[in-house]
Amino acid sequence: FTYSVNSIDNVDFQPPDSLRTNTYLAVNLIWNPTERFFTGVEYLFGTRENKDGAEAEANRLQASFGFYLP
């Protein structure tokens, strides 16, 4: 589990699309069904707000699998 928040004190001369705040959340689950094999899933979520007040969100889901060599 990971969570992060970033906040910036913008100054007047910065462009309107400069970053003001963002958040990041990630949850990662990994399972070893056998001694040499693993599989996992991860969900990520983020937000962004610019100096001019424009906002956006992003979501991502990814999966992985692998094996350990002897």
Side-chain angles (χ1 to χ4, degrees):
F1 175 79
T2 301
Y3 179 73
S4 173
V5 176
N6 184 29
S7 181
I8 299 171
D9 292 328
N10 298 112
V11 292
D12 291 337
F13 64 84
Q14 286 181 286
D17 63 349
S18 296
L19 176 66
R20 179 172 34 191
T21 62
N22 68 332
T23 61
Y24 176 85
L25 169 71
V27 177
N28 187 328
L29 303 171
I30 299 175
W31 177 47
N32 288 82
T34 68
E35 184 177 321
R36 297 196 182 275
F37 178 75
F38 67 89
T39 186
V41 65
E42 182 176 47
Y43 172 71
L44 296 101
F45 174 76
T47 64
R48 175 188 172 115
E49 181 182 355
N50 291 344
K51 178 183 170 193
D52 63 4
E55 296 178 334
E57 294 181 349
N59 293 280
R60 183 172 74 187
L61 183 65
Q62 63 185 29
S64 64
F65 66 91
F67 58 92
Y68 303 108
L69 296 173

